[in-house]
Amino acid sequence: KKGHILPPRLCANKEHMPPSTPVTICKVDVSKPAWEQPTPVHNRWHPDIPFIATVKEDTLFRVETIDWTGGQIKDDDNSDDIKFVDLSQVHYLSGPIRCEDSAGKPAMPGDLLCVEICELGPLPGDEWGFTGTFDRDNGGGFLTDHFPAASKAIWNFDGLNCESRHIPGVRFPGLIHPGLIGTAPSKELLEIWNTREKALVDAGEEATTLCGCLHTRPLACLPQQKGSFLGTVAKGTPEWDKISSEGARTVPGRENGGNCDIKNLTRGCKVYFPVFVEGANLSMGDMHFSQGDGEVSFCGAIEMSGFLVLKTSILRNGMAEYLTPMGPTKLHVNPIFEIGPCEPRFSEWIVFEGISVDETGKQHFLDASIAYKRAVLNAVDYLSKFGYTREQIYLLLSCAPSEGRISGIVDVPNAVATLAVPIRIFSVDVRPKKLMAGVSCKLTKVATNVCISTYDGDKPTFKNPMGDY
C-alpha cells in the first residue's frame, strides 16, 4: 500500500538490516587455570605480544574474559585466598586483537580506535563475584592503614541486581564494565613508562609527601618476569625472556587506557583509544559487575569473569586531530570516551565531604587524595552506625555505585572531595533524623560480617582518638 514501510528485516537496504550475530574471537573456560585457557591470555603490555585475532570495523565480535586473578579467589567464607593472592600473575587480558578498516588496512600509529561497547555481562553459569581488600603487606588499599587485614565479600547476581551473604540488607543493580581495556604501547612509549616509574621507585617514599598519608606499596610495579603470561609466546624462548623483562605491568591506567577502572564504560559507551602500533592490538579484562568511584578497597569492585560484545572503527590521523599532547612527546595523550545511556537511576543520595586535612589534623595544600580519603572515612564511620561493621561499609563503598567528586580545587588551602552513596541500596533508612531523648541512632550489628583474615605484619594501624571503635 501507498506509504507502507517494510520492517527492517525485509528492507533491501543493508543499512536498515539488524546487526549480525557477534563472532566469538576469544573463549575462556573458568574451570581451568590461566595457563590452560583455550585462547592464550596475557598480563603484560608490550608491542611484541602477538595478536590472537583480527577484526574489521563495524563488525560485531564477542570476547570472553576470566576474572582478574585467574580463579585464585573462591566462592567461600574464608579470605585467606585474598591474603595470600599472587599479585605477580594477575590482570589476565583477552587479546591482543588486530583492528582493520573495511578494506583490510590496519589501524596505524597516530589513528584513534573507536571501541563501542554493545553488550556485556557475566558468563553463563558463573554469575557471582567478589570484593575484597588486600593484606597491608601484600597489596594494601586506599585505607590500608585503617584496615590492614585482608577481607572478602561474595556477591550473587540476580539478573540486574546483586546481593551478598556477607553484607546483608543491601541490594543494588550492577553497572557492568571492563576495569581494564586498552591498546598496545609502542616501544618508545613502553620505555617512557618504565623509565618514569623506575625513577619514582628509585627516589623512594621521601620524594613524595603523599607517602606519609597513603600507604599502598610498592610505589609502582616495575617489569617482572615472575608471573608473566605473554599469550602465544612460549616460555623459555629468547622472545619470552625479552618481552617478560621489558613488559609493563598492568596495574595503573596510562596513555593507552589500561586499568582505569572507570565504572561508566558500559553498554552504549564509546572509547577513543590512541593507536601506537600497527593494528592497535586491543586487549581487555578485569570485568566488574559493579564498582564505586575510586575502587577504594583496591580489590574493590565486584570482580567477575565475563564477556563483551564490541565493534570498532578507525579515525585516521585522529590523535593529531583530537588529542593534545601534554608532555615532552606526542605520545603523552589520553583516551576520551562517551558515556552510554544505561546506568542505574537513583534519586536520593547521602553525601559525605572531605577536606585536605589528614587524620592527625595536619593541613595539606589542595590535596584531592587526602580530601577523598577523609570523605571515605567519614562515610565508613557514619554508615557503620546503622548495624554494619566498618569492614562491611569499606567494601560496600568500594563496590556499590557510589559517586566520587572533586568539588573544590582552588580555594586554598583545602581541596574538597565528596562521596555520594545511594540511600535506596539499604534496607534501613540511613538519613539523620530527630531522635527521642535517650534513643541512639545506632542499630544492633548484623549477625554476619565480611570474611576477615589476621594481619600478621608489624605496621601500625591508625586509631582515631575521638572514635568509639
Side-chain angles (χ1 to χ4, degrees):
K1 296 180 181 179
K2 184 178 180 181
H4 178 71
I5 300 176
L6 290 173
R9 290 182 181 273
L10 301 180
C11 287
N13 187 342
K14 185 178 179 181
E15 292 183 0
H16 297 288
M17 293 293 287
S20 59
T21 301
V23 176
T24 299
I25 63 171
C26 183
K27 290 189 67 66
V28 300
D29 184 342
V30 295
S31 68
K32 295 181 178 180
W35 53 90
E36 293 181 5
Q37 289 302 313
T39 307
V41 294
H42 68 101
N43 63 358
R44 299 292 191 268
W45 291 117
H46 197 284
D48 294 338
I49 297 176
F51 60 86
I52 61 163
T54 300
V55 297
K56 285 187 167 52
E57 62 181 353
D58 296 325
T59 299
L60 285 174
F61 60 97
R62 188 176 191 268
V63 176
E64 297 179 356
T65 72
I66 55 178
D67 87 84
W68 79 284
T69 71
Q72 293 186 64
I73 310 305
K74 306 302 181 185
D75 180 0
D76 60 22
D77 301 316
N78 189 312
S79 56
D80 281 356
D81 49 6
I82 288 186
K83 177 178 179 177
F84 298 111
V85 64
D86 183 353
L87 294 176
S88 73
Q89 52 166 326
V90 292
H91 276 165
Y92 296 101
L93 305 182
S94 296
I97 301 165
R98 178 182 172 91
C99 301
E100 299 178 346
D101 63 20
S102 56
K105 182 180 178 182
M108 298 299 292
D111 294 341
L112 281 183
L113 180 70
C114 175
V115 178
E116 181 176 353
I117 300 175
C118 301
E119 185 58 272
L120 70 182
L123 293 177
D126 204 39
E127 293 92 351
W128 71 279
F130 62 90
T131 305
T133 185
F134 297 121
D135 186 278
R136 181 167 178 174
D137 297 330
N138 186 31
F142 193 46
L143 304 183
T144 196
D145 50 329
H146 293 255
F147 300 92
S151 63
K152 181 173 75 175
I154 299 297
W155 299 86
N156 293 104
F157 310 150
D158 180 15
L160 185 65
N161 294 290
C162 65
E163 293 179 293
S164 173
R165 63 183 180 270
H166 297 123
I167 312 178
V170 170
R171 178 179 170 88
F172 53 87
L175 188 61
I176 301 174
H177 59 279
L180 201 163
I181 183 170
T183 53
S186 63
K187 291 183 179 180
E188 181 184 358
L189 183 57
L190 178 64
E191 184 177 353
I192 289 172
W193 293 350
N194 289 339
T195 300
R196 73 188 182 199
E197 291 172 20
K198 185 176 186 300
L200 175 66
V201 172
D202 290 345
E205 297 181 9
E206 296 75 17
T208 170
T209 57
L210 266 180
C211 281
C213 301
L214 301 181
H215 299 275
T216 296
R217 298 294 183 273
L219 299 181
C221 296
L222 302 180
Q224 180 182 12
Q225 289 188 314
K226 179 181 181 291
S228 293
F229 283 75
L230 306 178
T232 58
V233 180
K235 189 173 183 178
T237 62
E239 185 180 15
W240 189 94
D241 290 339
K242 178 179 183 296
I243 295 174
S244 62
S245 64
E246 298 174 347
R249 301 290 298 279
T250 55
V251 177
R254 298 186 180 94
E255 285 84 350
N256 68 327
N259 192 32
C260 295
D261 290 317
I262 299 172
K263 73 177 191 296
N264 304 96
L265 301 186
T266 188
R267 294 175 182 88
C269 174
K270 291 183 178 180
V271 191
Y272 299 86
F273 291 106
V275 176
F276 302 106
V277 300
E278 181 179 313
N281 284 5
L282 177 70
S283 298
M284 66 211 69
D286 188 23
M287 291 293 290
H288 297 166
F289 185 83
S290 176
Q291 182 204 293
D293 282 338
E295 197 184 11
V296 291
S297 74
F298 200 0
C299 184
I302 299 180
E303 312 286 349
M304 68 175 197
S305 63
F307 74 91
L308 305 94
V309 175
L310 310 168
K311 63 180 179 180
T312 64
S313 59
I314 299 170
L315 283 62
R316 298 296 182 187
N317 200 35
M319 287 176 62
E321 292 290 340
Y322 296 107
L323 304 183
T324 301
M326 186 66 68
T329 76
K330 292 183 178 180
L331 304 179
H332 288 78
V333 294
N334 298 100
I336 56 179
F337 68 95
E338 303 176 38
I339 294 178
C342 302
E343 61 182 23
R345 295 181 180 178
F346 296 104
S347 59
E348 297 178 299
W349 304 77
I350 186 164
V351 183
F352 301 91
E353 178 185 326
I355 59 174
S356 50
V357 176
D358 68 29
E359 301 97 297
T360 68
K362 180 181 178 180
Q363 178 73 60
H364 295 258
F365 179 69
L366 296 180
D367 196 316
S369 295
I370 299 297
Y372 197 59
K373 185 181 182 184
R374 287 296 309 276
V376 176
L377 284 168
N378 289 339
V380 167
D381 287 337
Y382 176 87
L383 292 171
S384 62
K385 300 177 185 294
F386 293 88
Y388 297 97
T389 66
R390 298 178 75 248
E391 290 81 6
Q392 286 175 319
I393 297 300
Y394 182 32
L395 294 192
L396 181 63
L397 295 175
S398 191
C399 69
S402 54
E403 299 279 344
R405 297 284 188 274
I406 297 177
S407 301
I409 202 67
V410 295
D411 298 317
V412 296
N414 279 331
V416 178
T418 55
L419 179 66
V421 182
I423 290 174
R424 296 301 177 185
I425 69 175
F426 297 98
S427 60
V428 297
D429 187 352
V430 296
R431 290 171 291 194
K433 56 186 70 67
K434 289 184 178 181
L435 298 171
M436 298 176 58
V439 176
S440 172
C441 70
K442 295 182 180 180
L443 302 179
T444 302
K445 295 296 183 184
V446 295
T448 59
N449 194 6
V450 298
C451 312
I452 304 176
S453 299
T454 59
Y455 173 61
D456 304 322
D458 57 1
K459 296 181 176 65
T461 300
F462 182 85
K463 296 293 185 182
N464 184 359
M466 303 300 294
D468 57 356
Y469 54 87

